[in-house]
Coordinates of all heavy atoms in Angstrom, one line a residue:
A229 N 178.8 -74.4 17.9 CA 179.5 -75.2 18.8 C 180.4 -76.2 18.0 O 179.9 -76.8 17.0 CB 178.6 -76.0 19.7
V230 N 181.5 -76.6 18.5 CA 182.4 -77.6 17.9 C 182.9 -78.5 19.1 O 182.7 -78.2 20.3 CB 183.7 -77.0 17.2 CG1 183.1 -76.1 16.0 CG2 184.5 -76.1 18.2
D231 N 183.6 -79.5 18.7 CA 184.2 -80.3 19.8 C 185.4 -79.7 20.4 O 185.9 -78.6 19.9 CB 184.3 -81.8 19.4 CG 185.5 -82.0 18.4 OD1 186.3 -81.1 18.2 OD2 185.5 -83.0 17.8
A232 N 186.1 -80.3 21.4 CA 187.3 -79.7 22.0 C 188.5 -79.5 21.0 O 189.2 -78.6 21.3 CB 187.6 -80.5 23.2
A233 N 188.5 -80.3 20.0 CA 189.6 -80.2 19.0 C 189.2 -79.1 18.0 O 190.0 -78.8 17.1 CB 189.8 -81.5 18.3
G234 N 188.0 -78.6 18.0 CA 187.6 -77.6 17.1 C 187.0 -78.3 15.7 O 186.7 -77.5 14.9
D235 N 186.7 -79.6 15.9 CA 186.0 -80.1 14.7 C 184.6 -80.0 14.7 O 184.0 -80.0 15.9 CB 186.5 -81.7 14.8 CG 188.0 -81.8 14.4 OD1 188.6 -81.0 13.7 OD2 188.6 -82.8 15.1
E236 N 184.0 -80.2 13.5 CA 182.5 -80.0 13.5 C 181.8 -81.2 14.3 O 182.3 -82.3 14.3 CB 182.1 -80.3 12.1 CG 180.8 -80.0 11.7 CD 180.6 -80.1 10.2 OE1 181.2 -79.2 9.5 OE2 179.8 -80.8 9.7
A237 N 180.8 -81.0 14.9 CA 179.9 -81.8 15.6 C 178.6 -81.8 14.9 O 178.2 -81.0 14.1 CB 179.7 -81.4 17.0
S238 N 177.7 -82.8 15.2 CA 176.4 -82.8 14.6 C 175.6 -81.6 14.7 O 174.7 -81.3 14.0 CB 175.7 -84.1 15.1 OG 175.3 -84.0 16.5
F239 N 175.9 -80.8 15.7 CA 175.1 -79.6 16.0 C 175.7 -78.4 15.7 O 175.2 -77.3 16.1 CB 174.5 -79.8 17.6 CG 175.8 -80.1 18.5 CD1 176.7 -79.0 18.9 CD2 175.9 -81.3 18.9 CE1 177.6 -79.4 19.7 CE2 176.9 -81.7 19.7 CZ 177.8 -80.7 20.1
T240 N 176.8 -78.3 15.0 CA 177.5 -77.3 14.5 C 176.8 -76.4 13.7 O 176.2 -76.8 12.8 CB 178.9 -77.5 14.2 OG1 179.7 -78.3 14.8 CG2 179.7 -76.3 13.6
S241 N 176.6 -75.0 14.1 CA 175.8 -74.1 13.2 C 176.8 -73.3 12.3 O 177.9 -73.0 12.6 CB 175.1 -73.3 14.0 OG 174.2 -73.8 14.9
Y242 N 176.2 -73.0 11.1 CA 177.0 -72.1 10.2 C 176.0 -71.1 9.6 O 174.8 -71.3 9.9 CB 177.5 -73.1 9.0 CG 178.5 -74.1 9.3 CD1 178.2 -75.3 9.6 CD2 179.8 -73.7 9.4 CE1 179.2 -76.2 10.0 CE2 180.8 -74.6 9.7 CZ 180.6 -75.9 10.0 OH 181.5 -76.7 10.4
G243 N 176.6 -70.0 9.0 CA 175.7 -69.0 8.3 C 176.4 -67.7 8.6 O 177.4 -67.6 9.3
K244 N 175.8 -66.8 7.9 CA 176.4 -65.4 8.1 C 176.4 -64.8 9.3 O 177.2 -63.9 9.7 CB 175.7 -64.5 7.0 CG 174.3 -64.2 7.3 CD 173.7 -63.2 6.4 CE 172.2 -62.9 6.8 NZ 171.6 -61.9 5.9
N245 N 175.6 -65.2 10.4 CA 175.5 -64.8 11.7 C 176.5 -65.5 12.6 O 176.6 -65.1 13.8 CB 174.1 -64.9 12.2 CG 173.1 -63.9 11.5 OD1 173.6 -62.7 11.0 ND2 171.9 -64.2 11.3
V246 N 177.0 -66.5 12.2 CA 177.9 -67.3 13.1 C 179.3 -66.8 12.7 O 179.9 -67.2 11.6 CB 177.9 -68.8 12.8 CG1 178.8 -69.6 13.8 CG2 176.3 -69.3 13.1
V247 N 179.9 -66.0 13.6 CA 181.2 -65.5 13.4 C 182.4 -66.1 14.1 O 183.6 -65.9 14.0 CB 181.3 -63.9 13.5 CG1 180.3 -63.3 12.5 CG2 180.9 -63.6 14.8
A248 N 182.1 -67.0 15.1 CA 183.0 -67.7 15.8 C 182.5 -68.9 16.5 O 181.2 -69.0 16.7 CB 183.5 -66.7 17.1
H249 N 183.3 -69.9 16.7 CA 182.9 -71.1 17.3 C 183.7 -71.4 18.6 O 184.9 -71.0 18.7 CB 183.1 -72.4 16.2 CG 182.3 -72.3 15.1 ND1 182.5 -71.6 14.0 CD2 181.0 -72.8 14.9 CE1 181.5 -71.9 13.1 NE2 180.7 -72.6 13.7
A250 N 183.1 -72.1 19.4 CA 183.7 -72.4 20.8 C 183.3 -73.9 21.1 O 182.3 -74.4 20.6 CB 183.3 -71.5 21.8
N251 N 184.1 -74.5 22.0 CA 183.8 -75.9 22.4 C 182.5 -76.0 23.0 O 182.0 -75.2 23.9 CB 184.9 -76.4 23.4 CG 184.5 -77.8 23.8 OD1 184.0 -78.6 23.0 ND2 185.0 -78.2 25.0
G252 N 181.6 -76.9 22.6 CA 180.3 -77.1 23.0 C 180.0 -78.6 23.1 O 178.9 -79.1 23.2
Y253 N 181.1 -79.5 23.2 CA 181.0 -80.9 23.2 C 181.5 -81.5 24.5 O 182.7 -81.2 24.8 CB 181.7 -81.6 21.9 CG 181.4 -83.0 21.8 CD1 180.3 -83.6 21.5 CD2 182.5 -83.9 22.2 CE1 180.2 -84.9 21.4 CE2 182.3 -85.2 22.2 CZ 181.1 -85.7 21.7 OH 180.9 -87.1 21.6
Q254 N 180.6 -82.2 25.1 CA 181.0 -82.8 26.5 C 181.6 -81.9 27.4 O 182.7 -82.1 28.0 CB 182.0 -84.0 26.1 CG 181.3 -85.0 25.4 CD 180.1 -85.9 26.1 OE1 180.3 -86.4 27.1 NE2 178.9 -85.8 25.6
V255 N 181.0 -80.7 27.5 CA 181.4 -79.7 28.5 C 181.0 -80.0 29.9 O 179.7 -80.2 30.1 CB 181.0 -78.3 28.1 CG1 181.4 -77.2 29.1 CG2 181.5 -78.0 26.7
E256 N 181.8 -80.1 30.9 CA 181.5 -80.4 32.2 C 180.6 -79.3 32.7 O 180.8 -78.1 32.8 CB 182.6 -80.5 33.2 CG 182.2 -81.0 34.5 CD 183.4 -81.3 35.3 OE1 184.3 -82.0 34.9 OE2 183.4 -80.9 36.6
S257 N 179.3 -79.6 33.1 CA 178.3 -78.7 33.5 C 177.7 -79.1 34.9 O 177.6 -80.2 35.2 CB 177.2 -78.6 32.4 OG 177.7 -78.4 31.2
L258 N 177.5 -78.0 35.7 CA 176.8 -78.2 36.9 C 175.3 -78.3 36.8 O 174.7 -77.4 36.1 CB 177.1 -77.0 37.8 CG 176.8 -77.1 39.3 CD1 177.6 -78.3 39.9 CD2 177.2 -75.8 40.0
I259 N 174.8 -79.3 37.4 CA 173.2 -79.3 37.1 C 172.6 -79.2 38.5 O 173.2 -79.3 39.6 CB 172.9 -80.8 36.4 CG1 173.5 -82.0 37.3 CG2 173.3 -80.9 35.1 CD1 173.0 -83.4 37.0
P260 N 171.3 -79.0 38.5 CA 170.6 -78.9 39.9 C 170.8 -80.1 40.7 O 170.9 -81.2 40.3 CB 169.1 -79.0 39.4 CG 169.0 -78.3 38.0 CD 170.4 -78.9 37.4
G261 N 171.1 -79.7 41.9 CA 171.5 -80.6 42.9 C 173.0 -80.7 43.2 O 173.6 -81.3 44.1
G262 N 173.7 -79.9 42.4 CA 175.2 -79.8 42.5 C 176.0 -80.9 41.9 O 177.3 -80.9 42.0
E263 N 175.4 -81.8 41.2 CA 176.3 -82.7 40.5 C 176.7 -82.2 39.1 O 176.2 -81.1 38.6 CB 175.4 -84.0 40.2 CG 175.0 -84.7 41.4 CD 174.2 -86.0 41.0 OE1 174.7 -86.7 40.2 OE2 173.1 -86.1 41.6
T264 N 177.8 -82.8 38.6 CA 178.3 -82.4 37.2 C 178.0 -83.5 36.2 O 177.9 -84.6 36.5 CB 179.7 -82.2 37.3 OG1 180.4 -83.4 37.6 CG2 180.2 -81.0 38.2
L265 N 177.7 -82.9 34.9 CA 177.4 -83.7 33.9 C 178.0 -83.2 32.6 O 178.0 -82.0 32.5 CB 175.8 -83.9 33.6 CG 175.2 -84.7 32.7 CD1 175.5 -86.3 33.0 CD2 173.7 -84.4 32.6
A266 N 178.5 -84.1 31.7 CA 179.1 -83.6 30.5 C 177.8 -83.4 29.6 O 177.2 -84.4 29.2 CB 180.1 -84.6 30.0
E267 N 177.7 -82.1 29.1 CA 176.7 -81.7 28.1 C 177.2 -81.3 26.9 O 178.3 -80.8 27.0 CB 175.8 -80.6 28.9 CG 175.1 -80.9 30.1 CD 173.8 -81.7 30.0 OE1 173.5 -81.9 28.8 OE2 173.1 -81.7 31.0
S268 N 176.4 -81.3 25.8 CA 176.9 -80.9 24.5 C 175.8 -80.1 23.9 O 174.6 -80.3 24.1 CB 177.1 -82.1 23.7 OG 178.1 -82.9 24.2
G269 N 176.2 -79.1 23.1 CA 175.3 -78.2 22.4 C 175.7 -76.7 22.3 O 176.8 -76.4 23.0
T270 N 175.0 -76.0 21.6 CA 175.4 -74.6 21.6 C 175.1 -73.8 22.8 O 175.7 -72.9 23.1 CB 174.5 -73.9 20.3 OG1 173.1 -74.2 20.7 CG2 174.8 -74.4 19.0
S271 N 174.2 -74.5 23.7 CA 174.0 -73.9 25.1 C 175.3 -74.1 26.0 O 175.5 -73.4 27.0 CB 172.9 -74.6 25.8 OG 171.7 -74.2 25.1
M272 N 176.2 -75.0 25.5 CA 177.5 -75.2 26.2 C 178.5 -74.2 25.6 O 179.5 -73.8 26.3 CB 178.0 -76.7 26.2 CG 176.9 -77.6 26.7 SD 176.6 -77.2 28.5 CE 174.9 -76.6 28.4
S273 N 178.5 -73.8 24.3 CA 179.6 -73.1 23.7 C 179.3 -71.6 23.9 O 180.3 -70.7 24.0 CB 179.6 -73.5 22.3 OG 178.5 -73.1 21.6
S274 N 178.1 -71.2 23.9 CA 177.8 -69.7 24.0 C 178.3 -69.1 25.2 O 178.7 -67.9 25.2 CB 176.3 -69.4 23.7 OG 175.5 -70.0 24.6
P275 N 178.3 -69.8 26.4 CA 178.7 -69.2 27.7 C 180.2 -69.0 27.7 O 180.7 -68.2 28.2 CB 178.3 -70.1 28.7 CG 177.3 -70.9 28.1 CD 177.5 -70.9 26.8
Q276 N 181.0 -69.8 26.8 CA 182.4 -69.7 26.7 C 182.6 -68.4 25.9 O 183.7 -67.7 26.4 CB 182.9 -70.9 26.0 CG 182.9 -72.1 26.9 CD 183.6 -73.3 26.2 OE1 184.9 -73.1 26.0 NE2 183.0 -74.4 26.2
V277 N 181.9 -68.0 25.0 CA 182.1 -66.8 24.1 C 181.9 -65.6 25.1 O 182.4 -64.6 25.1 CB 181.3 -66.7 22.9 CG1 181.6 -65.5 22.1 CG2 181.7 -68.0 22.1
A278 N 180.8 -65.7 25.9 CA 180.4 -64.7 26.9 C 181.3 -64.4 27.9 O 181.6 -63.4 28.2 CB 179.0 -64.9 27.4
N279 N 181.8 -65.5 28.4 CA 183.0 -65.5 29.3 C 184.2 -64.8 28.8 O 184.8 -64.0 29.5 CB 183.4 -67.0 29.8 CG 184.5 -67.0 30.8 OD1 184.5 -66.2 31.8 ND2 185.4 -68.0 30.7
L280 N 184.6 -65.0 27.6 CA 185.7 -64.4 26.9 C 185.4 -62.9 26.8 O 186.3 -62.1 27.1 CB 186.0 -65.0 25.5 CG 187.1 -64.4 24.8 CD1 188.4 -64.3 25.5 CD2 187.3 -65.1 23.3
A281 N 184.3 -62.5 26.4 CA 183.9 -61.1 26.3 C 184.0 -60.6 27.7 O 184.5 -59.3 27.7 CB 182.4 -61.0 25.7
A282 N 183.6 -61.2 28.7 CA 183.8 -60.6 30.1 C 185.2 -60.3 30.4 O 185.6 -59.4 31.2 CB 183.1 -61.5 31.2
K283 N 186.0 -61.4 30.1 CA 187.5 -61.2 30.4 C 188.1 -60.1 29.6 O 188.9 -59.3 30.2 CB 188.2 -62.5 30.1 CG 187.8 -63.7 31.2 CD 188.5 -65.0 30.8 CE 188.1 -66.0 31.8 NZ 188.7 -67.2 31.4
I284 N 187.7 -59.9 28.4 CA 188.2 -58.8 27.6 C 187.8 -57.5 28.2 O 188.7 -56.7 28.3 CB 187.6 -58.9 26.3 CG1 188.2 -60.1 25.4 CG2 188.0 -57.7 25.3 CD1 187.6 -60.5 24.0
L285 N 186.7 -57.3 28.6 CA 186.1 -56.2 29.4 C 186.9 -56.0 30.7 O 187.2 -54.8 31.1 CB 184.7 -56.1 29.5 CG 183.8 -55.9 28.3 CD1 182.4 -56.1 28.5 CD2 184.2 -54.5 27.7
A286 N 187.2 -56.9 31.4 CA 188.1 -56.9 32.6 C 189.4 -56.3 32.3 O 189.9 -55.5 33.1 CB 188.0 -58.3 33.3
V287 N 189.9 -56.8 31.2 CA 191.3 -56.3 30.8 C 191.2 -54.9 30.4 O 192.1 -54.0 30.6 CB 191.8 -57.2 29.7 CG1 193.2 -56.7 29.1 CG2 192.2 -58.6 30.3
N288 N 190.2 -54.5 29.5 CA 190.1 -53.2 29.0 C 188.6 -52.7 29.1 O 187.8 -52.9 28.1 CB 190.6 -53.1 27.5 CG 190.6 -51.9 27.0 OD1 190.1 -50.8 27.5 ND2 191.5 -51.6 25.9
P289 N 188.2 -52.2 30.2 CA 186.8 -51.9 30.3 C 186.2 -50.6 29.6 O 185.1 -50.3 29.4 CB 186.7 -51.4 31.8 CG 188.2 -51.2 32.3 CD 189.0 -52.0 31.5
K290 N 187.3 -50.0 28.8 CA 186.9 -48.9 27.9 C 186.3 -49.4 26.5 O 185.7 -48.5 25.8 CB 187.9 -48.1 27.7 CG 188.5 -47.3 28.9 CD 189.7 -46.5 28.8 CE 190.2 -45.9 30.0 NZ 191.4 -45.2 29.9
L291 N 186.5 -50.6 26.3 CA 186.0 -51.2 24.9 C 184.5 -51.1 24.8 O 183.7 -51.5 25.8 CB 186.5 -52.5 24.7 CG 188.0 -52.7 24.6 CD1 188.4 -54.2 24.5 CD2 188.5 -52.0 23.2
K292 N 184.1 -50.8 23.6 CA 182.6 -50.8 23.4 C 182.3 -52.2 22.9 O 183.1 -53.0 22.4 CB 182.2 -49.9 22.3 CG 182.6 -48.3 22.8 CD 182.1 -47.4 21.7 CE 182.4 -45.9 22.0 NZ 182.7 -45.5 23.4
P293 N 180.9 -52.6 23.0 CA 180.5 -54.0 22.5 C 180.9 -54.4 21.2 O 181.6 -55.5 20.9 CB 179.0 -53.9 22.6 CG 178.8 -52.9 23.8 CD 179.8 -51.9 23.5
A294 N 180.9 -53.5 20.2 CA 181.3 -53.8 18.9 C 182.9 -54.0 18.8 O 183.3 -54.9 18.0 CB 181.1 -52.6 17.9
E295 N 183.6 -53.5 19.7 CA 185.0 -53.6 19.7 C 185.3 -54.9 20.3 O 186.4 -55.7 19.9 CB 185.8 -52.4 20.4 CG 185.6 -51.2 19.8 CD 186.2 -50.0 20.7 OE1 185.8 -50.0 21.9 OE2 187.0 -49.2 20.0
V296 N 184.6 -55.4 21.3 CA 184.8 -56.7 21.9 C 184.5 -57.8 21.0 O 185.4 -58.6 20.7 CB 183.9 -56.8 23.2 CG1 184.0 -58.1 23.8 CG2 184.3 -55.8 24.3
I297 N 183.4 -57.7 20.2 CA 183.1 -58.6 19.1 C 184.2 -58.7 18.1 O 184.7 -59.7 17.7 CB 181.7 -58.3 18.5 CG1 180.6 -58.7 19.6 CG2 181.5 -59.3 17.3 CD1 179.3 -57.9 19.2
Q298 N 184.6 -57.6 17.7 CA 185.7 -57.4 16.7 C 187.0 -58.1 17.2 O 187.6 -58.9 16.4 CB 186.1 -55.9 16.3 CG 187.1 -55.7 15.2 CD 187.3 -54.4 14.9 OE1 186.7 -53.4 15.6 NE2 188.2 -54.1 14.0
L299 N 187.4 -57.9 18.4 CA 188.6 -58.6 19.0 C 188.3 -60.1 19.0 O 189.4 -60.8 18.6 CB 188.8 -58.2 20.4 CG 189.7 -56.8 20.6 CD1 189.7 -56.5 22.1 CD2 191.0 -57.1 20.3
I300 N 187.2 -60.6 19.3 CA 187.0 -62.1 19.4 C 187.1 -62.6 18.0 O 187.8 -63.6 17.8 CB 185.6 -62.3 20.1 CG1 185.5 -62.0 21.6 CG2 185.2 -63.8 19.8 CD1 184.2 -62.1 22.2
V301 N 186.6 -62.0 17.1 CA 186.5 -62.5 15.7 C 187.9 -62.4 15.1 O 188.5 -63.3 14.5 CB 185.5 -61.7 14.8 CG1 185.7 -62.0 13.3 CG2 184.0 -61.9 15.3
E302 N 188.7 -61.3 15.3 CA 189.9 -60.9 14.6 C 191.1 -61.9 15.2 O 192.0 -62.2 14.5 CB 190.3 -59.5 14.9 CG 189.6 -58.6 13.9 CD 190.1 -57.1 14.2 OE1 190.8 -56.8 15.1 OE2 189.6 -56.4 13.3
T303 N 190.8 -62.3 16.5 CA 191.8 -63.3 17.1 C 191.5 -64.7 17.0 O 192.2 -65.6 17.4 CB 192.1 -62.8 18.6 OG1 190.9 -62.9 19.3 CG2 192.7 -61.4 18.7
S304 N 190.3 -64.9 16.4 CA 189.9 -66.2 16.2 C 190.8 -67.0 15.2 O 191.5 -66.3 14.3 CB 188.6 -66.4 15.7 OG 187.6 -66.1 16.7
E305 N 190.9 -68.3 15.3 CA 191.8 -69.0 14.3 C 191.0 -69.8 13.4 O 190.1 -70.5 13.8 CB 192.8 -69.8 15.0 CG 193.9 -69.0 15.7 CD 194.8 -70.0 16.5 OE1 194.7 -71.3 16.6 OE2 195.9 -69.4 16.8
R306 N 191.2 -69.7 12.0 CA 190.5 -70.3 11.1 C 191.0 -71.8 11.0 O 192.1 -72.2 11.1 CB 190.7 -69.7 9.8 CG 189.7 -70.0 8.7 CD 188.5 -69.2 9.0 NE 187.7 -68.8 7.8 CZ 186.4 -68.8 7.9 NH1 185.8 -69.0 9.0 NH2 185.8 -68.4 6.8
T307 N 189.9 -72.8 11.0 CA 190.3 -74.2 10.9 C 190.9 -74.4 9.4 O 190.7 -73.7 8.5 CB 189.1 -75.1 11.0 OG1 188.1 -74.7 10.1 CG2 188.5 -74.9 12.5
A308 N 191.7 -75.5 9.3 CA 192.3 -75.9 8.1 C 191.4 -76.0 6.8 O 191.6 -75.5 5.7 CB 193.2 -77.1 8.2
D309 N 190.1 -76.4 7.1 CA 189.2 -76.5 6.0 C 188.5 -75.2 5.7 O 187.7 -75.0 4.8 CB 188.0 -77.6 6.3 CG 187.3 -77.3 7.5 OD1 187.3 -76.2 8.2 OD2 186.5 -78.3 7.8
G310 N 188.8 -74.2 6.6 CA 188.2 -72.9 6.3 C 186.6 -72.6 6.7 O 186.2 -71.5 6.5
R311 N 186.1 -73.6 7.4 CA 184.7 -73.6 7.7 C 184.4 -72.9 9.0 O 183.3 -72.5 9.4 CB 184.1 -74.9 7.6 CG 184.0 -75.5 6.2 CD 183.6 -76.9 6.1 NE 182.4 -77.3 7.0 CZ 181.0 -77.1 6.6 NH1 180.8 -76.8 5.4 NH2 180.2 -77.5 7.4
R312 N 185.4 -73.0 10.1 CA 185.1 -72.5 11.3 C 186.2 -71.5 11.8 O 187.3 -71.6 11.4 CB 185.1 -73.7 12.3 CG 183.9 -74.7 12.0 CD 184.0 -76.0 12.8 NE 185.2 -76.7 12.6 CZ 185.4 -77.4 11.4 NH1 184.6 -77.5 10.4 NH2 186.6 -78.2 11.3
N313 N 185.8 -70.5 12.7 CA 186.6 -69.6 13.3 C 186.6 -70.0 14.8 O 185.6 -69.8 15.5 CB 186.0 -68.1 13.2 CG 186.8 -67.4 12.0 OD1 187.8 -67.8 11.5 ND2 186.2 -66.2 11.7
L314 N 187.7 -70.5 15.4 CA 187.7 -71.0 16.8 C 188.2 -69.9 17.6 O 189.3 -69.2 17.4 CB 188.6 -72.2 16.8 CG 188.3 -73.4 15.9 CD1 189.4 -74.4 16.2 CD2 187.0 -73.8 16.1
I315 N 187.5 -69.6 18.7 CA 187.9 -68.5 19.7 C 189.3 -68.9 20.1 O 189.7 -70.0 20.3 CB 186.9 -68.3 20.7 CG1 186.8 -69.4 21.6 CG2 185.6 -67.7 20.2 CD1 186.0 -69.2 23.0
H316 N 190.1 -67.9 20.4 CA 191.5 -68.1 21.0 C 191.7 -67.1 22.1 O 192.0 -65.9 21.9 CB 192.5 -67.8 19.8 CG 193.9 -68.2 20.2 ND1 194.6 -67.7 21.2 CD2 194.7 -69.1 19.7 CE1 195.8 -68.3 21.3 NE2 195.8 -69.3 20.4
P317 N 191.1 -67.5 23.3 CA 191.2 -66.6 24.4 C 192.5 -65.9 24.7 O 192.5 -64.5 25.0 CB 190.7 -67.4 25.5 CG 190.0 -68.4 25.0 CD 190.6 -68.9 23.7
K318 N 193.6 -66.6 24.7 CA 194.9 -65.8 24.9 C 195.2 -64.7 24.0 O 195.5 -63.7 24.5 CB 196.0 -66.8 25.0 CG 196.1 -67.8 26.2 CD 197.3 -68.7 26.1 CE 197.4 -69.7 27.2 NZ 198.5 -70.5 27.3
K319 N 194.9 -65.0 22.7 CA 195.2 -63.9 21.7 C 194.2 -62.8 21.9 O 194.7 -61.7 21.8 CB 195.1 -64.5 20.3 CG 196.4 -65.4 20.0 CD 196.1 -66.1 18.6 CE 195.9 -65.2 17.4 NZ 195.9 -65.9 16.2
A320 N 193.0 -63.1 22.3 CA 192.1 -62.0 22.4 C 192.3 -61.1 23.6 O 192.2 -59.9 23.5 CB 190.6 -62.7 22.6
L321 N 192.8 -61.7 24.6 CA 193.1 -60.9 25.9 C 194.4 -60.1 25.7 O 194.4 -59.0 26.1 CB 193.1 -61.9 27.2 CG 192.0 -62.6 27.6 CD1 192.1 -63.5 28.7 CD2 190.9 -61.6 27.9
A322 N 195.3 -60.7 24.9 CA 196.6 -59.9 24.7 C 196.3 -58.7 23.9 O 196.7 -57.6 24.0 CB 197.5 -60.8 24.0
A323 N 195.3 -58.9 22.8 CA 194.9 -57.9 21.9 C 194.2 -56.7 22.7 O 194.2 -55.6 22.4 CB 194.1 -58.4 20.7
A324 N 193.4 -57.2 23.6 CA 192.5 -56.2 24.4 C 193.4 -55.3 25.2 O 193.2 -54.1 25.4 CB 191.5 -57.0 25.4
A325 N 194.5 -55.8 25.7 CA 195.4 -55.2 26.6 C 196.2 -54.1 25.8 O 196.5 -53.1 26.4 CB 196.4 -56.1 27.2
L326 N 196.3 -54.4 24.5 CA 196.9 -53.3 23.6 C 196.1 -52.2 23.1 O 196.6 -51.3 22.6 CB 197.6 -54.1 22.5 CG 198.7 -55.2 22.8 CD1 199.1 -55.9 21.6 CD2 199.8 -54.4 23.6
K327 N 194.7 -52.4 23.2 CA 193.8 -51.4 22.7 C 193.9 -50.2 23.5 O 194.0 -50.2 24.7 CB 192.5 -52.0 22.6 CG 192.4 -53.0 21.4 CD 191.8 -52.3 20.2 CE 191.7 -53.3 19.1 NZ 191.3 -52.6 17.9

């Protein structure tokens, strides 16, 4: 998880298993009772990546899971400091349409 600008947050994770980052800071979330609250954390960023994967499959349902992951990673944009790969939904969906 990163903030909306793609910058590191106190809870940003790194490591060989982290291949893409998404906004997880102050994400408007629906809470029990129907109210909204700005929440932060990896629990806010991971649904954004899952949402992107679902959209990719809607554009191209023939893709296999590994291909969806590859598209997300390949279309991500590296931050200037080289530490984070930020998902880029428009690029990912355009690439999925071409596969």
Side-chain angles (χ1 to χ4, degrees):
V230 293
D231 69 13
D235 293 326
E236 188 173 305
S238 63
F239 45 82
T240 299
S241 298
Y242 293 96
K244 66 179 182 173
N245 294 327
V246 180
V247 295
H249 288 91
N251 180 29
Y253 183 74
Q254 296 293 300
V255 177
E256 188 172 311
S257 306
L258 191 62
I259 59 172
E263 294 181 52
T264 59
L265 181 67
E267 298 275 6
S268 298
T270 55
S271 294
M272 302 298 112
S273 61
S274 60
Q276 293 190 51
V277 179
N279 180 38
L280 177 55
K283 287 177 179 178
I284 288 170
L285 287 172
V287 168
N288 189 341
K290 295 177 183 175
L291 293 173
K292 297 186 180 345
E295 294 171 312
V296 172
I297 294 167
Q298 182 179 3
L299 273 174
I300 292 171
V301 172
E302 287 178 351
T303 59
S304 293
E305 293 187 344
R306 200 77 152 144
T307 57
D309 64 8
R311 290 176 44 95
R312 293 169 302 285
N313 262 347
L314 307 176
I315 63 168
H316 195 295
K318 283 184 182 179
K319 284 173 62 176
L321 295 175
L326 297 174
K327 287 263 180 189

